[in-house]
């Protein structure tokens, strides 16, 4: 299954090569041109049969993770975060380090030895380390070096009623939907862009959008889902199983109202459940796409995912399928004209 392979492939921000290679292999026979730009974005062009606005559909390849910052004399590994991580969930998590995928586990001082204040707050990164089973600095350095990327060792698992747990659903769900779109038949030309380093500041989207100069930008995302206990209703951004999430605004973009209304109408006309993303936390690649050159109108379609930016996220397969369906309906609507 494509989504399984995508989520189980490691691609920390700035080190997306393995994900990029998988994507190129998947789409190479379905598009007219593929370019990898200087910073690693994949820009695929699928030529249509009719004149249309210049459409850019984007999903980011990278995931949050860690990077080796120091190797102690004891052989333990110090690290720094890459992207926004909740350090409260890191202790005891299994990881793999570097291209050789050296296994390790994140550790800390045992709770029996922690003093009162240490027990009452999240441990800092300075208090955490990775144990790879090395007994000395020399032994550790034979397997790991400073600057190696560290990914969570987490497998794709289907469980419960139509649920999936996996790492990097943000944003391998978007990559998977975009691959599926590029494999399908469309009458309009599409630039399918798989961006790098979104998690560390929307880095890849700006250069890609500058080159393409889109009229319309569609961002595909795995977004926060907070339908869990002790969260006020007004802070519940999305709910699992309630359908694709349509963004109103976020920290980087106020999304185009006409394009958003088109998406909502398509969902209602085709009996696709949908929801609005009801908070403005965070941002996505639209923050750079809508500012490129003379600007572009943008929209974001998201799959709600619990526990994003952690070693394991959870999504509903029906939300994923319906987001992909709504995306294709939107592309077909753009073919008809009238949005520009």
């Amino acid at each position: 299954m494509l989504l399984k392979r995508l989520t189980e492939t490691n691609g920390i921000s700035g080190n997306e090569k393995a994900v990029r290679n998988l994507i190129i292999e998947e789409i190479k026979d379905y598009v007219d041109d593929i370019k990898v730009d200087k910073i690693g974005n994949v820009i695929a062009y699928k030529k249509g049969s009719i004149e249309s606005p210049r459409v850019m559909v984007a999903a980011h390849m990278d995931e949050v993770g860690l990077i080796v910052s120091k190797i102690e004399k004891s052989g333990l590994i110090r690290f720094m975060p890459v992207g926004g991580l909740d350090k409260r969930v890191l202790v005891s998590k299994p990881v793999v380090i570097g291209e050789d995928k050296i296994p390790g586990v994140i550790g800390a001082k045992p709770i029996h030895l922690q003093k009162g204040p240490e027990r009452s707050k999240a441990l800092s990164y300075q208090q955490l380390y990775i144990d790879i089973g090395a007994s000395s600095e020399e032994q550790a350095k034979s397997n790991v070096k400073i600057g190696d990327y560290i990914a969570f060792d987490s497998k794709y698992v289907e469980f419960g009623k139509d649920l999936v747990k996996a790492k990097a659903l943000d944003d391998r769900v978007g990559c998977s939907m975009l691959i599926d779109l590029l494999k399908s038949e469309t009458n309009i030309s599409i630039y399918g862009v798989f961006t790098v380093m979104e998690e560390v500041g929307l880095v890849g989207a700006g250069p890609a959008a500058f080159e393409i100069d889109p009229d319309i930008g569609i961002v595909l995302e795995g977004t926060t889902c907070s339908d869990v206990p002790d969260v006020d209703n007004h802070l519940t951004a999305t709910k699992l199983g309630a359908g694709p999430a349509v963004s109103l605004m976020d920290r980087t973009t106020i999304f185009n109202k006409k394009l958003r209304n088109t998406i909502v109408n398509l969902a209602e006309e085709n009996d696709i459940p949908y929801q609005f993303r009801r908070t403005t936390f965070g941002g996505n690649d639209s923050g750079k796409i809508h500012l490129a050159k003379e600007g572009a109108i943008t929209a974001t379609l998201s799959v709600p995912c619990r526990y994003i930016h952690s070693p394991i996220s959870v999504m509903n397969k029906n939300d994923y399928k319906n987001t992909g369906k709504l995306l294709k309906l939107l592309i077909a609507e753009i073919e008809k004209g009238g949005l520009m």
Side-chain angles (χ1 to χ4, degrees):
M1 181 181 179
L2 177 58
L3 186 57
K4 180 179 189 296
R5 288 188 290 129
L6 283 167
T7 56
E8 292 184 355
T9 301
N10 298 330
I12 311 301
S13 297
N15 189 46
E16 298 92 349
K17 181 179 178 181
V19 179
R20 179 166 52 244
N21 289 345
L22 191 163
I23 289 170
I24 290 173
E25 186 64 28
E26 283 290 323
I27 67 174
K28 65 181 182 181
D29 296 328
Y30 299 91
V31 298
D32 296 279
D33 183 64
I34 298 176
K35 174 183 177 179
V36 178
D37 68 14
K38 292 178 182 178
I39 60 173
N41 293 311
V42 177
I43 302 175
Y45 178 64
K46 187 177 181 72
K47 184 174 176 57
S49 58
I50 63 173
E51 290 292 322
S52 65
R54 193 176 291 256
V55 178
M56 173 179 173
V57 185
H60 67 88
M61 295 183 286
D62 60 313
E63 64 191 276
V64 297
L66 310 165
I67 192 169
V68 175
S69 59
K70 184 181 180 181
I71 301 174
E72 298 283 4
K73 293 186 182 302
S74 62
L76 297 174
I77 310 298
R78 299 290 186 177
F79 58 87
M80 300 183 295
V82 181
L85 278 164
D86 183 352
K87 57 181 179 287
R88 296 174 302 173
V89 304
L90 295 181
V91 176
S92 80
K93 297 302 185 293
V95 296
V96 291
I97 305 177
E99 293 185 6
D100 294 332
K101 298 182 179 179
I102 303 300
V105 61
I106 299 174
K109 183 195 295 185
I111 192 168
H112 315 78
L113 302 180
Q114 292 176 15
K115 298 178 181 179
E118 292 178 303
R119 296 188 184 191
S120 62
K121 61 183 179 180
L123 298 175
S124 69
Y125 287 106
Q126 290 72 32
Q127 294 171 290
L128 300 173
Y129 53 79
I130 295 173
D131 189 341
I132 63 169
S135 58
S136 67
E137 182 180 2
E138 292 71 24
Q139 187 180 2
K141 284 184 174 179
S142 68
N143 293 293
V144 172
K145 62 183 182 296
I146 292 175
D148 278 349
Y149 284 90
I150 306 162
F152 298 112
D153 189 3
S154 178
K155 303 301 181 184
Y156 176 102
V157 177
E158 297 188 7
F159 75 112
K161 183 174 175 57
D162 298 319
L163 300 185
V164 166
K165 59 178 181 177
K167 74 171 180 63
L169 289 173
D170 175 19
D171 183 33
R172 304 292 158 68
V173 290
C175 293
S176 182
M177 289 186 292
L178 180 49
I179 289 169
D180 185 52
L181 176 65
L182 292 173
K183 288 181 176 181
S184 64
E185 294 298 322
T186 61
N187 291 322
I188 64 170
S189 298
I190 295 174
Y191 289 89
V193 182
F194 302 86
T195 64
V196 297
M197 295 181 278
E198 191 264 5
E199 298 291 5
V200 291
L202 320 182
V203 175
F210 185 86
E211 177 174 339
I212 294 167
D213 190 18
D215 299 305
I216 299 173
I218 303 168
V219 177
L220 306 176
E221 266 282 22
T223 196
T224 181
C225 178
S226 47
D227 58 344
V228 294
D230 301 321
V231 175
D232 292 340
N233 185 61
H234 72 282
L235 295 176
T236 303
T238 64
K239 295 183 178 181
L240 227 59
V246 182
S247 290
L248 301 169
M249 62 180 289
D250 60 27
R251 185 174 53 81
T252 64
T253 310
I254 297 177
F255 294 93
N256 181 265
K257 184 176 181 180
K258 184 175 182 181
L259 186 55
R260 183 179 71 241
N261 288 343
T262 297
I263 294 169
V264 168
N265 291 337
L266 287 170
E268 292 177 349
E269 291 166 3
N270 291 275
D271 296 320
I272 297 174
Y274 72 94
Q275 57 189 308
F276 291 112
R277 185 180 183 274
R278 297 192 300 155
T279 60
T280 60
F281 305 130
N284 62 44
D285 280 339
S286 171
K288 293 295 178 72
I289 294 169
H290 83 285
L291 297 176
K293 291 189 176 178
E294 295 179 357
I297 65 171
T298 61
T300 294
L301 290 173
S302 302
V303 178
C305 298
R306 290 178 184 152
Y307 326 124
I308 63 169
H309 289 205
S310 78
I312 299 175
S313 300
V314 173
M315 75 163 197
N316 185 298
K317 290 193 291 183
N318 294 317
D319 291 339
Y320 169 72
K321 292 174 184 176
N322 282 322
T323 305
K325 188 185 300 184
L326 190 53
L327 169 65
K328 290 181 179 179
L329 287 169
L330 177 57
I331 295 299
E333 191 68 18
I334 294 172
E335 291 179 9
K336 299 176 184 178
L339 285 176
M340 294 299 300

